[in-house]
Amino acid sequence: MGAEIEGKLLRVDMTRLVTHIEAFPEKWKYLGGRALSARILLEECDPECAPLETDNILVLAPGLMAGTSAPTSGRLSVGGKSPLTGGIKEANVGGDPGQDLMKLGYRAVIIKGKPADPELRFALDVTGDSATILPADEHKGKWNYPLIEDLTKTYTKKASFISIGPAGEMQLAGASVACTDHSQERHPARHAGRGGLGAVMGSKGLKYVSIEAGGSPARKPADKAFFQLSKKYTRDFVAGPGQEPFPKWGTSVICEEANSIYTFPYKNRTEGRSPDVETLDGMRIVESFETRGGGMHNCLTGCIVKCSNIVHDADGEYKTSGLEFETLTMLGSNCAIANWEDVADLDRLCDDIGIDTIETGAAVAVYMDAGGMEFGDAEGTKRLLREVAEGTEIGRAIGNGAATVGRLKNHHRVASVKGQAIPAWDPRPLKAAGVTYCTSAMGADHTAGLVVDPGQAPEEFARASQESQILNAAVDASGFCQFLMPNIEEIAEFYACFYGEEVTRERVADMGWQCLEDEWEFNRRAGFGPEDDKMAACMAEDAIGGEVKFVWDVPDEVVASAYVRFPSREELYTARPS
Ligand code: SF4
């Protein structure tokens, strides 16, 4: 590829409180999203730095196709060294900030340093030709929803926002970064949840970023065939998988299916199925639309999947949105909380306080398992989450994640890898997914390379994990949402039309692999080694299943083989994200 360099780079120094806009470097021309974030961190961040100190960097990088007319292509990568794992982290998020940054021409925002006074709060206002740091002490301690409600009175109707809640300000290791969605109200319901990047933003004194994209036009492709390709892709998608229950109704409707294959963890993962699957399944949410309102929407401009649910309460008032399978599982089933409406309340609390629903669900389940409270206590869990915002001892422990709660309660059953809680998809029946959890530089993260194939042959575990990791890295670099399910061939086609030159599918797969290599290299320099690739011991000790039992029994050498690239097969180019 050899197109002209396009775009600019925004550098923000939170120590000196100055910003600098410069031309986007040629060397990063074909990097976007997760791949760009990894390269910036590898080149500019000391891997041995303390995650909440001056030398860590917070990266905001829209995907390569963000800001274009390609469907569902405006995802944002938030990156940094994780306070949860101590390794590199990228958390991928929807909402409008990714689209808006790219429409203004910002390929990335690199935020360094931290203010001398940790009590001060600041805002970063971004427009097409300026970036200004402003005092924001009046917003100190605000939860995400009231914060955005206040900001929408001050900024234009088209502004989008990136923010943190009190958990980020307290620099808790489970803190998320919120992005406002595409609704008129601009709900802060889309979260870069995993890895505690909200704490990194909090450590820099940054309460929020505003992006005023106004009526900025979409980025122009080099080849007009790009528009035809976008139209054709949209048509084919709507006529194909777009009409199936998933993605049409979002991930929340796959609870029954997950339960059937023992990957709907119950009571801190001591069982793989929940007796409450019917009352938790997202079809109950879909049924509620008729009487309460709400429905499905696109969380970002230009999304054709529209898999994000808007959930109303019994009075027909907005409660939360983007209530996903992972949240229904980790804050519902895994805590033996039986009803989706309680999980909706918990989801709203997490979004408002600014904490990851997966890590928080795992942390609460460990607390329950250790005798801290009864399994199934929904009201107690709501009180516990409020304690996160209040900063009590147990609240801070919950906000710091499952491993911290395990240490506090001296409890052995903590399902995590590299300090990050295992998500809903269970590595005991899904062993290739387990290989991903062990080998991903980011710890247990299903979005790094999920493989949902419980009947897989053992000799396929490492290859399947590796192919899924390459595909997901390529998708996360592109800006397409994983729920659009583009394959590598299709991404190559979009790149070729956008840049007006040949882009092979092999090149896109290599770009995905290079992203993984950059992430692994960062972790090696940070001191990670094979001993950090261990699955949580409880996954090997606690069997789940029916007549056939599942435990984690994948040998270390099989896990390690995912680091050596397999020869690429046709399947790699045509596979779609799980
Ligand atoms: S597919 Fe769903 S999660 Fe992805 S951008 Fe669209 S609405 Fe958001």
Side-chain angles (χ1 to χ4, degrees):
M1 293 188 279
E4 291 301 306
I5 309 170
E6 178 215 18
K8 53 204 174 193
L9 185 65
L10 170 57
R11 291 188 179 275
V12 180
D13 180 341
M14 292 303 296
T15 303
R16 295 190 301 129
L17 300 176
V18 293
T19 66
H20 179 65
I21 299 170
E22 61 193 44
F24 191 72
E26 171 149 20
K27 61 181 179 177
W28 296 337
K29 191 160 57 172
Y30 299 115
L31 295 176
R34 176 174 161 189
L36 178 57
S37 174
R39 187 63 59 83
I40 290 169
L41 289 166
L42 194 58
E43 291 189 11
E44 298 201 5
C45 178
D46 174 6
E48 293 183 329
C49 73
L52 300 176
E53 290 305 325
T54 310
D55 290 343
N56 198 5
I57 293 176
L58 185 72
V59 179
L60 307 174
L64 215 44
M65 291 292 99
T68 71
S69 60
T72 319
S73 65
R75 302 281 297 193
L76 177 73
S77 288
V78 181
K81 178 167 174 171
S82 163
L84 191 68
T85 68
I88 195 167
K89 186 74 195 96
E90 182 260 6
N92 198 275
V93 63
D96 271 341
Q99 292 284 46
D100 288 350
L101 280 171
M102 203 59 135
K103 280 182 187 166
L104 292 176
Y106 296 104
R107 297 280 304 269
V109 183
I110 300 177
I111 304 163
K112 296 185 175 179
K114 63 186 286 190
D117 184 348
E119 296 305 316
L120 298 179
R121 299 291 178 269
F122 296 93
L124 174 66
D125 283 0
V126 181
T127 67
D129 51 14
S130 72
T132 313
I133 298 171
L134 301 168
D137 284 343
E138 73 269 30
H139 300 299
K140 190 172 175 177
K142 279 186 188 168
W143 293 25
N144 277 312
Y145 273 84
L147 170 71
I148 299 303
E149 218 171 284
D150 288 346
L151 295 180
T152 51
K153 291 174 192 147
T154 313
Y155 291 83
T156 73
K157 282 186 182 157
K158 296 242 164 116
S160 59
F161 302 96
I162 300 168
S163 66
I164 55 169
E169 291 185 62
M170 284 189 272
Q171 301 176 33
L172 303 180
S176 61
V177 174
C179 286
T180 49
D181 66 17
H182 187 58
S183 63
Q184 202 178 358
E185 298 82 2
R186 286 164 283 177
H187 294 128
R190 308 308 306 193
H191 286 246
R194 308 234 62 198
L197 294 170
V200 178
M201 187 160 159
S203 74
K204 302 198 175 301
L206 196 54
K207 180 66 178 167
Y208 71 89
V209 180
S210 75
I211 304 140
E212 291 275 13
S216 303
R219 293 162 68 207
K220 282 199 176 61
D223 186 340
K224 285 196 177 130
F226 188 83
F227 298 118
Q228 272 72 55
L229 179 64
S230 297
K231 273 189 197 148
K232 181 180 178 309
Y233 193 88
T234 302
R235 224 175 23 242
D236 291 351
F237 181 86
V238 170
Q243 294 308 302
E244 289 173 9
F246 174 76
K248 186 182 177 189
W249 298 121
T251 59
S252 72
V253 298
I254 53 176
C255 295
E256 298 260 12
E257 196 182 325
N259 197 56
S260 72
I261 56 171
Y262 295 96
T263 182
F264 197 54
Y266 185 60
K267 292 191 172 177
N268 197 25
R269 311 195 92 103
T270 50
E271 294 180 42
R273 283 180 173 174
S274 164
D276 308 314
V277 65
E278 263 190 59
T279 49
L280 284 170
D281 189 72
M283 281 316 289
R284 305 295 85 75
I285 300 172
V286 173
E287 287 158 11
S288 79
F289 297 156
E290 199 163 315
T291 51
R292 300 177 174 191
M296 307 305 292
H297 83 140
N298 49 321
C299 82
L300 56 78
T301 307
C303 172
I304 59 172
V305 184
K306 302 182 181 175
C307 82
S308 182
N309 51 24
I310 298 173
V311 180
H312 284 189
D313 64 17
D315 298 325
E317 297 294 326
Y318 174 89
K319 184 186 283 190
T320 191
S321 53
L323 177 50
E324 309 271 0
F325 161 73
E326 283 290 340
T327 304
L328 288 160
T329 308
M330 299 305 286
L331 279 163
S333 171
N334 200 37
C335 299
I337 291 172
N339 195 300
W340 72 267
E341 300 212 49
D342 285 321
V343 183
D345 289 338
L346 295 168
D347 183 64
R348 170 61 183 261
L349 277 166
C350 285
D351 287 356
D352 229 342
I353 295 163
I355 41 175
D356 175 27
T357 58
I358 295 175
E359 194 65 45
T360 304
V364 173
V366 170
Y367 185 59
M368 290 172 164
D369 200 15
M373 64 194 287
E374 290 292 316
F375 273 111
D377 184 351
E379 293 309 315
T381 303
K382 291 172 200 172
R383 282 195 298 275
L384 198 54
L385 296 200
R386 288 189 195 99
E387 286 199 48
V388 176
E390 289 158 11
T392 65
E393 185 193 22
I394 185 59
R396 292 183 76 90
I398 295 287
N400 275 318
T404 300
V405 175
R407 280 192 293 276
L408 181 75
K409 302 297 290 181
N410 198 21
H411 189 65
H412 68 288
R413 188 178 296 113
V414 179
S416 63
V417 182
K418 297 186 180 79
Q420 179 163 262
I422 292 174
W425 299 103
D426 199 288
R428 289 165 289 185
L430 305 177
K431 293 194 168 62
V435 173
T436 299
Y437 299 162
C438 293
T439 55
S440 169
M442 295 181 279
D445 190 337
H446 63 293
T447 66
L450 178 63
V451 183
V452 184
D453 185 355
Q456 205 160 37
E459 57 274 20
E460 287 302 313
F461 295 157
R463 179 202 288 277
S465 166
Q466 185 186 96
E467 288 183 349
S468 184
Q469 290 193 63
I470 291 172
L471 170 61
N472 284 20
V475 173
D476 290 343
S478 71
F480 287 115
C481 182
Q482 291 187 6
F483 297 143
L484 185 74
M485 295 184 279
N487 63 33
I488 283 178
E489 268 185 356
E490 290 161 345
I491 294 171
E493 224 182 323
F494 274 103
Y495 285 178
C497 285
F498 186 78
Y499 288 104
E501 54 199 76
E502 192 193 353
V503 181
T504 64
R505 58 190 198 166
E506 289 78 12
R507 174 78 195 278
V508 174
D510 287 350
M511 290 159 84
W513 179 254
Q514 186 59 53
C515 173
L516 298 176
E517 291 267 32
D518 285 356
E519 292 170 347
W520 288 326
E521 180 58 24
F522 184 96
N523 273 18
R524 271 191 289 271
R525 294 182 194 176
F528 281 74
E531 66 282 3
D532 297 300
D533 294 344
K534 297 282 184 209
M535 178 58 70
C538 58
M539 295 291 95
E541 291 158 4
D542 301 334
I544 55 170
E547 276 178 26
V548 178
K549 297 288 182 199
F550 303 103
V551 289
W552 177 256
D553 53 5
V554 179
D556 289 350
E557 57 273 19
V558 171
V559 169
S561 66
Y563 284 115
V564 182
R565 194 166 177 188
F566 290 95
S568 295
R569 304 178 302 161
E570 184 66 19
E571 287 90 326
L572 171 63
Y573 306 116
T574 54
R576 298 187 183 281
S578 294

